[in-house]
Every structure is written in structure tokens, then in C-alpha cells.
Amino acid sequence: MSQVLITGGLGAIGAPLTEELEARGHDVWVADLPWSERERYYRCDVSEYRQLESVFEDRDFDYVYHLAAEFGRKNGEDFYETMWKSNAIGTKNMLRLQREHDFRLVFSSSSEVYGDYDDVMVEDVPRRVGPRQLNDYAISKWVNEQQILNATDRYGTETVRVRFFNTYGPGEYYSEYRSVVAKFCYRALHDLPYHVYDDHHRSFTYIDDTIVTLANVVDNFEPGEVYNIGGERYRNIKELSDIVLDYLDKDDDLVEYRGTEEHNTLNKRASVEKAKRDLGHEQRVTLEEGVPETIEWMREVYDVE
């Protein structure tokens, strides 16, 4: 049994990851911003060094999943001060404490680091090709990866980086800053208008598939590795909208089709061969199966018939 800390452990990925790791017998502690009655919990802002330091002074951890971060392109533009403080300073704080306390780190990066690259996104592309990241959130995640690589070079710290590709599913509460799946499902369910950039394509990943692979990192930890965690089917954004509407038996009268969104990656096609080889990654849930699960969860959460 390992001692595991999950920052951002109350979030859409962190909460089910906590449950999965506990089910596997690990002693899991959570650090996050809200007040919580959860046992094994630390209230902590990772961008505040003193608060984060107190967690590691209280307990020794074998592994830390660093999920705490500000998420999303639009969020990174509207609240860039908070985003840079949480993502850049928060990660720097974590790396300083990793050097001191010698835990293994699993860092949550993003497919956004591939920026304007328009081919299959293999893990070595950012360092080999140097695509341009297209927004502050994407830039912050690439900065984080550089911080990690520098810490490893200087101090020999052991870290695995994972890049999420459009993870979606139950547990993701709606806001304008959340994933495209959450937005489409919520707005269609509530008969609200939304727009579809139908020239874009994505590799969608159901939350359960992401969690299994992410939890497997502890049992197959390879220091220095980076993995894409994504779906194996490559889908058009309009296909996603059609699946949502078909399940709800609604037409697209409230949908506006806009073609291409500026300042956003046109296509995100993940290569997941490394994650399949090392972490047993598998897409078990298709978009046609995952969208209804997401909608039914939203019906219950938002009390919609």
C-alpha cells in the first residue's frame, strides 16, 4: 500500500481517481481549495507555499498526483492572474517540495500543449517540432512541463507527465469554462442555444477510461515518461452535438454552426500507443455510450425531467 496525495482531489478527475486508488488499497489523502468534511483531507491553495508545505510536514507521501490547476482556454483569458498563479507558481511550489521530500510526482498536463500542430499528436512532438501554443492556458501547461524537466535535470526528481485529451463524463458540473461535452449536454438538456465549430475534430475520453489509466501510473511508474490519455476514435465536433441531440430526441434549431474557431487547435488526434503499452490504456466507453451517461447524471444533479 502506498501513501498517495491528490491535489485537486475534489474535482471532476480527482474525486473518481481518489475512489479508484482507495479501492486498490492505497492510503489516499486529498488537498483542495473548498472546505470539506472528507476524512484524510487538507484544505490548501497550492499557489501558497506555506499552505502546501504544511501538508508535507504533516505526512510523508510515496506518490503525489498534482491535478490542482486552473482549467481551460477561456478561463485562462478571463482569469489569467489566478490561472498563472495556480498553474505556474503552484507547480513550482510542488517541485520545490518534491526535491525536499523525495516523492514521485504524477503531473496533469493537457493536449493543449500540442498547439497548432495538425497531425497525429505523438508525445515527442512538442520538443521535436515546437508547435506554437494558442492560448495562455496552453502556454501555462507547457511552462509546467518545462519546470518539471528542469527540476529533473537539476535535482534528479522523478515525475511522469500525462496529457489529457477531452476527458468528459459524470462529475463535471456545467459552466461556460468547462468541456465542450459538458456544455453541449447541459445546454441541450435545458433547451438553451449553443454553437458548434463543425470544422474541428477531437479525441474524446470518457472519465472511467481516464481514471483506470491514471491510477495505473502508480503500479507502472517510469520516471521521465510522458503519456497521452485519450480516446482512440477521432470525432467531428458536430458528431458530438448530433449524439447529444439524438439521445434527447431534439432537433438542432437552437444550434448555430460556425465552422472554424480562431485561436483554437483545429484538430486534436491523440496517439495513445505508449499509454496502451505501459499503462494498459483502453477506450472502453464510446462517445455514443458516454454521452447518455453524462446526460443522465446531469438530469439527476440539476433535477431535469
Side-chain angles (χ1 to χ4, degrees), residues 8-23:
L10 298 181
I13 293 177
L17 176 63
T18 299
E19 293 181 2
E20 177 68 19
L21 288 170
E22 287 180 333

Side-chain angles (χ1 to χ4, degrees), residues 7-8 46 66-71 75 83 86-87 108 137 141 144:
T7 70
V46 296
H66 185 35
L67 307 181
E70 289 291 312
F71 162 84
N75 181 44
M83 188 274 296
S86 296
N87 293 14
S108 62
Y137 170 67
K141 284 300 183 180
N144 293 158

Side-chain angles (χ1 to χ4, degrees), residues 11-175:
I13 293 177
L17 176 63
T18 299
E19 293 181 2
E20 177 68 19
L21 288 170
E22 287 180 333
R24 297 186 185 194
H26 299 291
D27 186 15
V28 184
W29 292 72
V30 168
D32 214 323
L33 279 170
W35 292 103
S36 174
E37 296 179 356
R38 185 189 189 281
E39 294 183 8
R40 294 179 168 83
Y41 182 77
Y42 298 98
R43 184 170 186 259
C44 171
D45 183 341
V46 296
S47 69
E48 297 292 340
Y49 186 82
R50 181 193 61 82
Q51 294 182 27
L52 191 59
E53 181 183 40
S54 68
V55 174
F56 291 96
E57 288 177 344
D58 184 64
R59 185 169 301 276
D60 292 327
F61 297 99
D62 303 302
Y63 295 90
V64 174
Y65 282 85
H66 185 35
L67 307 181
E70 289 291 312
F71 162 84
R73 293 178 296 106
K74 189 174 186 295
N75 181 44
E77 297 301 319
D78 291 351
F79 301 98
Y80 59 85
E81 305 96 332
T82 305
M83 188 274 296
W84 278 107
K85 186 177 179 182
S86 296
N87 293 14
I89 297 176
T91 299
K92 184 66 174 180
N93 288 342
M94 183 64 72
L95 293 172
R96 291 185 64 180
L97 289 162
Q98 184 187 19
R99 177 188 176 190
E100 181 177 346
H101 293 275
D102 198 32
F103 52 83
R104 287 179 153 184
L105 181 67
V106 183
F107 176 77
S108 62
S109 188
S110 167
S111 61
E112 286 286 317
V113 301
Y114 291 101
D116 59 5
Y117 188 72
D118 195 27
D119 202 345
V120 179
M121 294 175 171
V122 182
E123 284 86 349
D124 69 344
V125 161
R127 299 190 73 179
R128 176 170 52 83
V129 179
R132 185 173 67 86
Q133 285 80 39
L134 299 177
N135 55 78
D136 268 28
Y137 170 67
I139 295 167
S140 79
K141 284 300 183 180
W142 186 233
V143 166
N144 293 158
E145 293 203 28
Q146 296 305 302
Q147 290 173 306
I148 288 165
L149 293 172
N150 288 346
T152 296
D153 288 344
R154 293 182 180 183
Y155 310 118
T157 51
E158 296 188 341
T159 300
V160 166
R161 293 163 286 145
V162 295
R163 297 171 182 158
F164 297 126
F165 279 74
N166 289 86
T167 292
Y168 73 95
E172 184 181 14
Y173 291 86
Y174 169 79
S175 84

